[in-house]
C-alpha cells in the first residue's frame, strides 16, 4: 500500500482496515510500518481491528541492527510483532530490535518482537512469473501469518471464535516458541516460531490470562540482557521491568486487586516491589510494570532472591456462562543482588530531559546521515546507547537511570551525573539543586552536547505529504540554550557552530560529527581545541566570503574543578550513540569518569599547555537563542508542566518534588543535606522564552547571564563569577549582632567587678 515513491497515507490504511472488519476476516498480515506510534487514527484503528477478534501479524521493521527501532503497529501489545532470522538461527542484521519506546522517560519499554521467523533469502513468487529470493521482516511476517492460519484451521469451526483471539494466539506462539541461544529478549522475543508446539498448546487450550515474558531470570544471560548485566543493590533507583498481560478470556478484562510478591525464602523479604499496571485490560492486553528496590537492610547482602509475582485477572462471562472468568497469572523472578557499590562507581543517566520523535520533529544528531532525518531511537541506555552501557559495565561502573527531574535524586550516592544529547528545558529548581550538588556535595558532572543552529534548523524544514503540513525542527541535536542555562552557574556555555572533522586524542583517531563548540569556560580549567570546518549556515556563509573551506581551532573539550565537584563537557554525542557512530569515544568517556568521579587525572588531558590562563567568554547576545516560532510546550515535559518525582524514582519521594524542596506542606530533607532556601517558593515552572533565575546577590563587573551564579573557589581554582547568596545575609546579621551584644555584656561585667574591687579596698583602708 504505497505509491511509486514508497509513500503511504494513513487514510489508505483506514479504508483497508474498515474492509477487513466489514468482511469479518480472521487473520490480517501487515508487512509495513513506521516509527510514529502517536498517529492516533492509525493506532486506534488497530485497536478496533483486534477488538473485532481479527488476529493481526505485523513486521517489526528493517532498521536493525540498531536498538529502539521497532515499527508501529508491530510494537503494539495487541499485535503479533515478528522479527527476522536466517537459516542458521541468527538474528538477521536488518531485523529491528526493542525495546518499545512509548513508555519513556518515566517507565521502561516492553519486550518486542514477540517472535522471530525465517526472513532472509526466502523464495517467493515474482509478479511476472517464476521465483525470486526475498529478505526482510516483511517476509518473516507473512510466514508467521501462514502459521497462524494453519493453527486457526485445526480448531473446529464451532469453537473457533470461542477459543481463538489475538491474545490466545499470541499465548500459543510465545509459549511454543523455541528460544535461541545468543540473542537477548529484545532481539528475539520468545524465540523462533514453532508450529507443532503451538498446535499442542491450542489443542487443549482453555481461556486464561498470562504474563509475557513469564520469567525474569538474572542468571539467564544474555537472554535477559540488560537485567542480567547489572545486579540489584540497596539505594539504587528502581529497576523497572515491563511485562505484557495477555488475556485470552475476553477482549476486556480487569485487574481487581494489586499484584502480590511471594518470596521463596527469608532473603526475598529484602526485595521491595511497587507495581503499576493496567486496571482495565483492553483490547486483549495490558501491562504489568515491576519497580524493584532492595531495602536498606540489604545494603551488605550478596546472593540470589527468588519468588513469584501473582496477578488476578477477571473477564465478563460469555453468553453461555453465568460467572465471570477468572485467571491467576504468575511471573517468576530470580534476581542477583550485591552489596551497594561505592559512590565513585555509580553513574546516573539523565533520561528525563530527552525528547524523541514522536511527538515532534526532533532532528538527527549527525547531519551527515541523509537517510534518517529523525531522532527516534529512544536515546536510552538500553536502546541506541546499549554499547556504551555494556562498556561501562565491563569497566566496573554501575549505571542507573533517572526519568524524573534532577531534584529527584540524592547526589551523595553518585560519582557522576551523565547528561548526553538532551533536548528539553530545565526547571529553575533543577538548576539550583545541581549547582549545590556539584559545588557542595561533590557530584561529578559529565556533559555530551550536540549541534544547535537556528538558521540550519530553519533550512531543514520540509512538507509532509501525509499530514499535509510543514514540519520544522523544534530544537537542534541538543537544546543548547537550555544546557547553557543549566551550566551558567559554572561559567560554561556552548556555541552554535556545527563542527565536522577528524582529530587525534588519547592515542586514538576520532570523528567529530556535527558537534558544537565551547564558548565559555572558567579560568584554570583545561580546554582542548582542534581544527574543524564549521558547516552551519553562518559558517558556510563565512567560508564563501573567505573563498574556501577554512578550518579553525575550536574548543570542544573542557575539564574543571568546581568547589567540591568536577565537571567535564564535550560538544558531540555521536561517538557514544550506536545509531550512526563513525568512531567511538569510549576511552575518552572512561578518562572523563575517572576525573569526575574520583579526581584521577590523565596526563594527556591535564597538561599545562591546555590550562586556561584566562577564561573563555562569549557575550550574552552571541550565545545560541531559543526559537520563538515553535510552541515548545507541546513537546516538553518541563515547559508549562509541574515538577514532580514519578514512579521511576526512589519510592520514598514518589509524588513529591524531590530532595530538599518543599512538598505538600513538608520538607523531604536528607540527613545532613541542607535545605536551599533562595527566598522564594518552588512551585513555579520554566518557560522557553524566560527561564526564571534564583534570587541571588551578585558581585561582578556586569549583569550578564553567565555571571549570575555561584562559584566557590579556593587558591588557583577556576576563576568564575563570584556570587553571594542573599539567604546568607540574615544569619550573618544575627550572628554579628549576637557577638556584639556578648562583647558589650562582658565589658559591663568587667566594669562592675572593677567598681566592687575599688569599693572593697576603700573600706579596708578606713
Amino acid at each position: 500500500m504505497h505509491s511509486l515513491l514508497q509513500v503511504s497515507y494513513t487514510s489508505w490504511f483506514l479504508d483497508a482496515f474498515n474492509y477487513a472488519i466489514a468482511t469479518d476476516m480472521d487473520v490480517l498480515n501487515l508487512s509495513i510500518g513506521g516509527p510514529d506510534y502517536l498517529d492516533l487514527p492509525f493506532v486506534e484503528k488497530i485497536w478496533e481491528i483486534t477488538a473485532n477478534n481479527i488476529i493481526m501479524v505485523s513486521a517489526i521493521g528493517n532498521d536493525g541492527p540498531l536498538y529502539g527501532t521497532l515499527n508501529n503497529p508491530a510494537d503494539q501489545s495487541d499485535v503479533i510483532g515478528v522479527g527476522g532470522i536466517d537459516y542458521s538461527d541468527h538474528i538477521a542484521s536488518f531485523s529491528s530490535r526493542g525495546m518499545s519506546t512509548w513508555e519513556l522517560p518515566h517507565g521502561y519499554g516492553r519486550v518486542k518482537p514477540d517472535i522471530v521467523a525465517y526472513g532472509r533469502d526466502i523464495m517467493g513468487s515474482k509478479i511476472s512469473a517464476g521465483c525470486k529470493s526475498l529478505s526482510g521482516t516483511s517476509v518473516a511476517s507473512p510466514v508467521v501469518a501462514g502459521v497462524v492460519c494453519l493453527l486457526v484451521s485445526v480448531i473446529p469451526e464451532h469453537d473457533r471464535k470461542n477459543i481463538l483471539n489475538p491474545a490466545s494466539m499470541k499465548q500459543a506462539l510465545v509459549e511454543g516458541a523455541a528460544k535461541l541461544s545468543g540473542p537477548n529478549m529484545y532481539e528475539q522475543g520468545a524465540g523462533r516460531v514453532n508450529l507443532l508446539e503451538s498446535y499442542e498448546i491450542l489443542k487443549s487450550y482453555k481461556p486464561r490470562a498470562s504474563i509475557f515474558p513469564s520469567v525474569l531470570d538474572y542468571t539467564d544471560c544474555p537472554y535477559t540482557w540488560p537485567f542480567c548485566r547489572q545486579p540489584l543493590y540497596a539505594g539504587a533507583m528502581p529497576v523497572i521491568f515491563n511485562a505484557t498481560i495477555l488475556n485470552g478470556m475476553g477482549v476486556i478484562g480487569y485487574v481487581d486487586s494489586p499484584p502480590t510478591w511471594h518470596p521463596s525464602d527469608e532473603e526475598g523479604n529484602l526485595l521491595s516491589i511497587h507495581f503499576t499496571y493496567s486496571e482495565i485490560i483492553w483490547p486483549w492486553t495490558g501491562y504489568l510494570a515491576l519497580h524493584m528496590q532492595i531495602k536498606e537492610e540489604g545494603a551488605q547482602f550478596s546472593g540470589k532472591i527468588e519468588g513469584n509475582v501473582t496477578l488476578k485477572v477477571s473477564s465478563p462471562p460469555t453468553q453461555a456462562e453465568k460467572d465471570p472468568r477468572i485467571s491467576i497469572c504468575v511471573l517468576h523472578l530470580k534476581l542477583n543482588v550485591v552489596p551497594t557499590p561505592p559512590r565513585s562507581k555509580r553513574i546516573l543517566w539523565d533520561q528525563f530531559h530527552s525528547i524523541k520523535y514522536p511527538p515532534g520533529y526532533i532532528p538527527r544528531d549527525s547531519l551527515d546521515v541523509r537517510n534518517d532525518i529523525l531522532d527516534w531511537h529512544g536515546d536510552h541506555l538500553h536502546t541506541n546507547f546499549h554499547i556504551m552501557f555494556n562498556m561501562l559495565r565491563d569497566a566496573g561502573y554501575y549505571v542507573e537511570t533517572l526519568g524524573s527531574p534532577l531534584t529527584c535524586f540524592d547526589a551523595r550516592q553518585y560519582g557522576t551525573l551523565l547528561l548526553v544529547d538532551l533536548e528539553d528545558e530545565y526547571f529553575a529548581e533543577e538548576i539550583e539543586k545541581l549547582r549545590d550538588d556539584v559545588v557542595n556535595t561533590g557530584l561529578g558532572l559529565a556533559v555530551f552536547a550536540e549541534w544547535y543552529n537556528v538558521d540550519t534548523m530553519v533550512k531543514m524544514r520540509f512538507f509532509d505529504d501525509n499530514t499535509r503540513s510543514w514540519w520544522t525542527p523544534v530544537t537542534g541535536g541538543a537544546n543548547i540554550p537550555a544546557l547553557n542555562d543549566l551550566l551558567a552557574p559554572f561559567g560554561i556555555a556552548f556555541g552554535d557552530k556545527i563542527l565536522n572533522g577528524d582529530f587525534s586524542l588519547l592515542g586514538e583517531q576520532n570523528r567529530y560529527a556535527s558537534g558544537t563548540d565551547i564558548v565559555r569556560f572558567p579560568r584554570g580549567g583545561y580546554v582542548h581545541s582542534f581544527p574543524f570546518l564549521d558547516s552551519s549556515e553562518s559558517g558556510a556563509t563565512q567560508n564563501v566570503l573567505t573563498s574556501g573551506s577554512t578550518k579553525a581551532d575550536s574548543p570542544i573539550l573542557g575539564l574543571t574543578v568546581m568547589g567540591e565537584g568536577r565537571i567535564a563537557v564535550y560538544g558531540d554525542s555521536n561517538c557514544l550513540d550506536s545509531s550512526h557512530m563513525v568512531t567511538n569515544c569510549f576511552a575518552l568517556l572512561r578518562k572523563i569518569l575517572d576525573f569526575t568521579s574520583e579526581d584521577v587525572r590523565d596526563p594527556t588531558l591535564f597538561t599545562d599547555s591546555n590550562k586556561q590562563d584566562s577564561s573563555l567568554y562569549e557575550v550574552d547576545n552571541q550565545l545560541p537563542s531559543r526559537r520563538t516560532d515553535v510552541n515548545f510546550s507541546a513537546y516538553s515535559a518541563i515547559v508549562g508542566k509541574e515538577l514532580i518525582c514519578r514512579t521511576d524514582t526512589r519510592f520514598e519521594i514518589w509524588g513529591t518534588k524531590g530532595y530538599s524542596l518543599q512538598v505538600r506542606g513538608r520538607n523531604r530533607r536528607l540527613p545532613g543535606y541542607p535545605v536551599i532556601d533562595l527566598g522564594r517558593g518552588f512551585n513555579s515552572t520554566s518557560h522557553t522564552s524566560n527561564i526564571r533565575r534564583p534570587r541571588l546577590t551578585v558581585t561582578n563587573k556586569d549583569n550578564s547571564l553567565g555571571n549570575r551564579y555561584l562559584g566557590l573557589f579556593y587558591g588557583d581554582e577556576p576563576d568564575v563569577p563570584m556570587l553571594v547568596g542573599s539567604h546568607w545575609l540574615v544569619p550573618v546579621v544575627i550572628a554579628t549582632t549576637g557577638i556584639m551584644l556578648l562583647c558589650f555584656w562582658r565589658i559591663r561585667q568587667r566594669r562592675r567587678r572593677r567598681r566592687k574591687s575599688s569599693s572593697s579596698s576603700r573600706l579596708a583602708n578606713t
Side-chain angles (χ1 to χ4, degrees), residues 179-180 182-186 188-190 212-213 220-225 228:
K179 189 168 74 174
L180 306 177
N184 65 58
M185 57 186 172
Y186 296 104
Q188 65 166 309
F212 171 68
D220 184 11
C221 228
Y223 180 71
T224 58
W225 180 95
C228 63

Side-chain angles (χ1 to χ4, degrees), residues 42-190:
F42 184 92
V43 170
E44 291 175 353
K45 184 58 71 172
I46 297 296
W47 289 339
E48 185 181 348
I49 283 273
T50 58
N52 277 274
N53 212 16
I54 297 175
I55 299 170
M56 174 167 278
V57 184
S58 184
I60 205 69
N62 297 329
D63 295 292
L66 307 179
Y67 281 61
T69 55
L70 303 176
N71 279 215
N72 183 264
D75 62 347
Q76 294 186 213
S77 58
D78 55 325
V79 174
I80 299 168
V82 182
I85 57 173
D86 60 23
Y87 288 118
S88 299
D89 282 351
H90 297 140
I91 301 295
S93 58
F94 54 74
S95 185
S96 290
R97 273 73 163 167
M99 59 183 176
S100 64
T101 58
W102 295 41
E103 299 81 3
L104 300 177
H106 301 299
Y108 194 82
R110 290 166 286 110
V111 174
K112 281 281 183 171
D114 296 300
I115 53 173
V116 291
Y118 296 119
R120 185 185 288 280
D121 299 327
I122 306 299
M123 297 307 295
S125 301
K126 288 183 178 179
I127 294 178
S128 54
C131 299
K132 66 176 181 178
S133 177
L134 301 169
S135 294
T137 57
S138 294
V139 181
S141 181
V143 169
V144 172
V147 168
V148 170
C149 289
L150 285 173
L151 293 172
V152 169
S153 68
V154 300
I155 304 298
E157 195 166 344
H158 62 275
D159 287 336
R160 199 168 287 171
K161 288 296 183 182
N162 294 328
I163 293 177
L164 293 180
N165 56 59
S168 63
M169 182 58 71
K170 184 181 284 194
Q171 287 172 330
L173 291 174
V174 299
E175 292 169 15
K179 189 168 74 174
L180 306 177
S181 60
N184 65 58
M185 57 186 172
Y186 296 104
E187 295 175 318
Q188 65 166 309

Side-chain angles (χ1 to χ4, degrees), residues 167-168 171 175 205-212 244-250 252-260 262 278-279 281 284 288 309-317 321 323-331:
S168 63
Q171 287 172 330
E175 292 169 15
Y205 182 82
K206 301 295 181 184
R208 56 183 168 82
S210 63
I211 295 174
F212 171 68
T244 299
I245 303 171
L246 302 174
N247 181 25
M249 300 184 296
I252 190 168
Y254 305 93
V255 178
D256 298 320
S257 58
T260 307
H262 307 276
S278 305
E279 295 184 6
I281 301 170
W284 308 104
L288 170 64
V309 171
T310 59
L311 178 75
K312 181 180 178 182
V313 176
S314 65
S315 281
E321 298 171 339
D323 298 322
R325 293 180 167 185
I326 295 176
S327 184
I328 304 296
C329 307
V330 178
L331 169 61

Side-chain angles (χ1 to χ4, degrees), residues 426-433 638 643 678 680 682 684-686 691-694:
Y426 299 89
F427 291 109
E429 295 90 332
E430 295 182 280
I431 298 174
E432 295 161 11
K433 179 176 178 292
I638 287 93
L643 188 157
L678 295 178
R680 64 179 187 82
F682 288 96
S684 59
T685 54
S686 59
I691 300 294
R692 276 173 279 205
R693 312 290 175 210

Side-chain angles (χ1 to χ4, degrees), residues 185-484:
M185 57 186 172
Y186 296 104
E187 295 175 318
Q188 65 166 309
R192 185 189 65 238
V193 65
N194 188 320
L195 174 61
L196 293 179
E197 288 295 326
S198 296
Y199 164 69
E200 291 297 328
I201 292 169
L202 278 181
K203 191 168 62 172
S204 57
Y205 182 82
K206 301 295 181 184
R208 56 183 168 82
S210 63
I211 295 174
F212 171 68
S214 60
V215 177
L216 177 60
D217 184 355
Y218 273 43
T219 66
D220 184 11
C221 228
Y223 180 71
T224 58
W225 180 95
F227 301 97
C228 63
R229 287 289 275 136
Q230 181 164 299
L232 298 175
Y233 49 87
M237 290 291 171
V239 171
I240 305 175
F241 179 65
N242 193 357
T244 299
I245 303 171
L246 302 174
N247 181 25
M249 300 184 296
V251 64
I252 190 168
Y254 305 93
V255 178
D256 298 320
S257 58
T260 307
W261 162 237
H262 307 276
S264 299
D265 50 35
E266 191 65 28
E267 284 78 9
N269 292 317
L270 294 174
L271 177 65
S272 178
I273 307 180
H274 286 199
F275 301 94
T276 52
Y277 54 92
S278 305
E279 295 184 6
I280 299 176
I281 301 170
W282 183 92
W284 308 104
T285 60
Y287 72 92
L288 170 64
L290 283 64
H291 306 251
M292 299 179 287
Q293 281 184 192
I294 299 299
K295 298 176 182 176
E296 291 305 318
E297 51 264 39
Q300 298 303 318
F301 176 74
S302 179
K304 302 275 190 298
I305 286 180
E306 197 165 354
N308 293 322
V309 171
T310 59
L311 178 75
K312 181 180 178 182
V313 176
S314 65
S315 281
T318 63
Q319 291 182 347
E321 298 171 339
K322 293 183 179 179
D323 298 322
R325 293 180 167 185
I326 295 176
S327 184
I328 304 296
C329 307
V330 178
L331 169 61
H332 183 70
L333 299 181
K334 188 175 183 180
L335 313 173
N336 283 337
V337 182
V338 297
T340 302
R343 178 188 188 186
S344 61
K345 291 299 181 183
R346 293 177 63 181
I347 299 170
L348 189 62
W349 170 271
D350 181 5
Q351 188 67 38
F352 180 67
H353 295 93
S354 174
I355 305 177
K356 62 185 184 306
Y357 170 85
Y361 178 5
I362 309 299
R364 62 192 181 274
D365 296 324
S366 175
L367 298 180
D368 293 334
V369 179
R370 304 294 181 183
N371 61 347
D372 195 2
I373 66 172
L374 300 171
D375 187 356
W376 63 283
H377 300 165
D379 285 347
H380 191 277
L381 281 170
H382 303 152
T383 57
N384 48 311
F385 289 95
H386 70 282
I387 298 176
M388 182 198 73
F389 168 76
N390 288 336
M391 180 278 298
L392 291 173
R393 288 296 300 127
D394 290 339
Y397 288 102
Y398 294 81
V399 195
E400 303 169 31
T401 303
L402 177 66
S404 286
L406 300 180
T407 59
C408 302
F409 77 98
D410 177 4
R412 301 174 307 164
Q413 306 302 319
Y414 299 94
T416 297
L417 174 66
L418 187 54
L419 309 181
V420 180
D421 184 22
L422 300 178
E423 294 90 0
D424 213 334
E425 294 286 334
Y426 299 89
F427 291 109
E429 295 90 332
E430 295 182 280
I431 298 174
E432 295 161 11
K433 179 176 178 292
L434 182 62
R435 177 211 62 192
D436 189 74
D437 286 343
V438 172
V439 173
N440 297 324
T441 312
L443 176 70
L445 180 62
V447 180
F448 286 75
E450 267 302 334
W451 69 270
Y452 183 96
N453 184 277
V454 173
D455 292 336
T456 299
M457 283 186 270
V458 171
K459 197 170 182 179
M460 294 171 70
R461 184 170 177 256
F462 71 91
F463 186 78
D464 178 55
D465 284 330
N466 195 34
T467 60
R468 308 300 297 173
S469 62
W470 284 97
W471 284 37
T472 184
V474 300
T475 186
N479 189 342
I480 294 301
L483 264 181
N484 286 347

Side-chain angles (χ1 to χ4, degrees), residues 480-654:
I480 294 301
L483 264 181
N484 286 347
D485 282 342
L486 187 71
L487 297 174
F490 314 114
I492 299 173
F494 291 104
D496 63 355
K497 290 183 179 179
I498 301 178
L499 304 174
N500 293 275
D502 298 313
F503 67 102
S504 180
L505 184 64
L506 297 171
E508 294 186 347
Q509 195 69 17
N510 297 276
R511 173 71 177 173
Y512 206 69
S514 305
T516 189
D517 59 331
I518 301 170
V519 296
R520 281 184 183 173
F521 208 76
R523 179 177 64 85
Y526 295 80
V527 174
H528 294 258
S529 302
F530 299 92
F532 293 123
L533 184 67
D534 180 9
S535 62
S536 66
E537 288 302 301
S538 54
T541 302
Q542 182 64 30
N543 289 332
V544 170
L545 294 175
T546 56
S547 302
S549 298
T550 304
K551 291 185 177 181
D553 278 354
S554 298
I556 62 169
L557 171 64
L559 307 102
T560 188
V561 176
M562 198 65 58
E564 296 295 319
R566 292 162 294 278
I567 299 176
V569 295
Y570 186 70
D572 186 24
S573 70
N574 283 287
C575 56
L576 302 178
D577 185 341
S578 57
S579 291
H580 304 295
M581 182 188 294
V582 179
T583 61
N584 73 67
C585 58
F586 296 153
L588 174 61
L589 175 60
R590 287 195 296 269
K591 297 298 184 183
I592 285 175
L593 294 175
D594 287 344
F595 169 63
T596 56
S597 293
E598 302 182 82
D599 199 15
V600 175
R601 307 188 182 200
D602 184 273
T604 304
L605 299 180
F606 293 87
T607 63
D608 290 340
S609 60
N610 295 114
K611 190 171 184 178
Q612 291 293 108
D613 294 328
S614 59
S615 60
L616 285 177
Y617 186 81
E618 183 76 87
V619 296
D620 279 6
N621 60 11
Q622 295 299 312
L623 292 177
S625 58
R626 291 172 173 83
R627 299 197 64 171
T628 58
D629 58 338
V630 171
N631 179 20
F632 198 72
S633 63
Y635 318 104
S636 172
I638 287 93
V639 180
K641 311 300 192 302
E642 180 185 5
L643 188 157
I644 189 169
C645 301
R646 300 187 183 272
T647 55
D648 62 288
T649 57
R650 299 282 300 169
F651 297 160
E652 60 266 23
I653 62 167
W654 279 20

